[in-house]
Structure formats: C-alpha cells, structure tokens
Amino acid sequence: MSYETIDVRPVTKRIGAEIFGVDLTKPLGNQTYAEIREALLKHQVVFFREQEIDHEAHLAFGQAFGKFHTHSAVKGLPDHPHIVQIHADADSKYIAGDNWHSDLSCDPEPPMGSILYMHTMPEDGGDTLFSSMTAAYEALSEPMKRFLEPLTAVHDANPVYKAIFPDIDKQYECNTHPVIRTHPETGRKLLFVNSSYTTKINELSKTESDAVLKCLYEHVKDPNFQVRFRWRPHSIAFWDNRCTQHFAVWDYFPETRSGYRVTIAGDRPF
C-alpha cells in the first residue's frame, strides 16, 4: 500500500520495517496512527529512530492502538503502572527476554503488542531478534499443518516467574491456547507456541508433546523468518505480539541497557 503521512522502509522481505517522517514526542493525526497500524499489520514489527519520548508521550502513543495490558507478573512504575522498566547493568543476574517468546502468552488474552523505548544502550550489542510466526507456519509441510491444526497447548508462567522470584508465594497465569491461531485482523494463520511459556500439547502424550514442541522451537529459530534490530539510544520497536516472537541478546554485560515498555491489550486466541 501507499502511505501519505509516513515513510515505511522494509528491513527484510518477511518481517520488519523502519518508519520515518513522524515525531512521536507530539500527538499524531488519526490518519498517521492508521497508517502506522497498517504498517504493523503488514511488517509485524516496526522501528522508529531518534524519538526522545517521555512517559506521557509513550503512553499517548500506546493508547492510540488500544487499552493497556497489565503485566501479570511484573509491576509497572509507581507513578505510571502501565509502564514497565526494562533495565540491565553490571549488577544484573538475569535480563528480560533472553529467550524466544511471545509476551505473556500465558495470559487468557495475551497482548496485542508491545512498544519498547530504549534510551540508554551499550556501545555494542544488545540487539533484539524478531521472528515471524506467519512465515514459520507457512514454511511447514501440508501434513504438519493438518496435524497441528486441531491441537491445543498449555502456556504456563509459573516455571518462568517462580525461577525469577523464588521468594514470592504466588500462582501465576496458566492457560490453554490453540497451537495454530488465526490473526484477528489479517486472517492469516500462524504458529502459536514458544519455549518460554508453552509446556505441553494437551492432546499428545508427554513423550510425543516434548518431541513436537522441540521440533517447533527449533523451527522458529530459522533466520529466514527473522529480522535483527540494532538499537541506538532513543529508538523504539513496536511489535505485533500475536504473530511474532522475539529474543533480547545479552551480549553487553557489564554495560547498561535501559528503557521502558508499554503493552497493548489483545484478545483470546482462536
């Protein structure tokens, strides 16, 4: 499609585009928001450069795309509960997202998307990889597609967050979703399991489930489905969480990588 208010430049053929010609520190017109959404639906993740936004601008941009999704395990900032800090430095024992995942797929209605703003980056490293789950689905053989179509899988946050927060006595979200889901806006089918939250396929034995999931987890790592974003200070990534997975590379210790994320509410996968 042609865009009238933004400049969209694809990064790869399958996933990812950079958007130029907008200033996210200021309110945008309805047409610009609509065009950004169209670019997101087409490219699955979009990137912005040189956007030194504050919390209010971050929230305003996120609200243009839907209601906020409250993180089911991590608290937001005291004065801005819908903003979660993403921070790692020389004292960090772990970082958020250093494995392939779809944000909070464990929730009954996983997020539609996330908008991550990074204000501080190491001199080198700290990239994020994004993988297209529509491309991953379309690359499967027809017999595999037919086999996976009726299956459902458990997405359980407890193994993730009990390892991170062992001193907190809390049960985290655990829900069942289809292995193959349909994107609610584009209608495209996609693979919806990830190695962070998905623990088993309900209709299979444990041995069968483990084998199928291992195969699918390796499949989504194919670089042919991916784009790699090299952050610079004051960059923004906005990804469609329904049809992508991402991986934050922790190759910059002990340097600091810091920013903030807002998450947009989604719906129950079908």
Side-chain angles (χ1 to χ4, degrees):
M1 66 169 293
S2 60
Y3 302 94
E4 296 182 10
T5 66
I6 59 176
D7 177 12
V8 180
R9 305 176 193 176
V11 182
T12 78
K13 291 290 187 183
R14 288 194 171 113
I15 179 174
E18 290 195 86
I19 294 181
F20 299 89
V22 293
D23 182 354
L24 301 185
T25 66
K26 302 175 182 178
L28 306 178
N30 289 338
Q31 182 174 345
T32 301
Y33 286 126
E35 290 185 3
I36 292 172
R37 190 179 192 99
E38 285 299 318
L40 177 69
L41 292 175
K42 180 177 180 179
H43 298 285
Q44 302 179 56
V45 56
V46 293
F47 309 111
F48 304 84
R49 299 285 192 186
E50 300 177 3
Q51 303 285 341
E52 195 168 347
I53 59 173
D54 58 19
H55 292 330
E56 285 68 29
H58 198 172
L59 291 168
F61 183 58
Q63 284 178 318
F65 299 94
K67 297 180 179 179
F68 290 120
H69 182 103
T70 301
H71 200 295
S72 54
V74 179
K75 290 184 178 181
L77 300 179
D79 296 335
H80 298 282
H82 295 301
I83 298 178
V84 172
Q85 185 176 31
I86 304 296
H87 180 87
D89 57 27
D91 296 323
S92 297
K93 305 302 180 186
Y94 64 90
I95 69 161
D98 64 334
N99 47 12
W100 284 107
H101 67 288
S102 172
D103 287 335
L104 297 172
S105 66
C106 55
D107 287 3
E109 296 183 349
M112 166 269 189
S114 295
I115 302 171
L116 177 59
Y117 164 63
M118 301 302 293
H119 57 76
T120 301
M121 289 298 301
E123 184 174 348
D124 299 297
D127 296 355
T128 302
L129 285 70
F130 296 88
S131 186
S132 167
M133 293 302 98
T134 53
Y137 169 78
E138 290 165 1
L140 295 171
S141 67
E142 291 303 319
M144 180 60 80
K145 291 177 183 176
R146 291 194 295 271
F147 169 69
L148 295 174
E149 184 73 36
L151 303 181
T152 62
V154 174
H155 294 245
D156 189 354
N158 286 282
V160 177
Y161 294 112
K162 287 185 179 295
I164 297 173
F165 310 118
D167 298 329
I168 298 178
D169 184 17
K170 177 181 177 179
Q171 285 298 117
Y172 297 95
E173 290 283 357
C174 181
N175 287 279
T176 292
H177 299 307
V179 171
I180 304 299
R181 72 173 289 185
T182 301
H183 195 287
E185 294 186 74
T186 68
R188 297 177 70 183
K189 290 186 177 181
L190 58 108
L191 188 60
F192 197 67
V193 295
N194 65 86
S195 56
S196 291
Y197 293 113
T198 310
T199 56
K200 66 177 180 178
I201 297 176
N202 292 304
E203 294 79 8
L204 305 181
S205 69
K206 183 179 187 308
T207 300
E208 293 169 338
S209 173
D210 289 349
V212 171
L213 288 175
K214 181 179 179 181
C215 172
L216 295 177
Y217 296 158
E218 288 302 312
H219 180 65
V220 304
K221 296 177 184 178
D222 189 329
N224 289 293
F225 312 147
Q226 295 177 23
V227 64
R228 185 175 185 128
F229 184 55
R230 183 166 191 181
W231 296 89
R232 297 195 296 265
H234 309 301
S235 297
I236 293 173
F238 181 8
W239 60 90
D240 188 333
N241 194 60
R242 300 165 294 189
C243 58
T244 62
Q245 293 188 35
H246 56 284
F247 186 113
V249 182
W250 194 15
D251 58 355
Y252 50 88
F253 183 87
E255 294 184 64
T256 297
R257 180 182 186 271
S258 191
Y260 300 98
R261 189 183 74 195
V262 299
T263 303
I264 313 302
D267 49 21
R268 182 174 287 278
F270 62 90

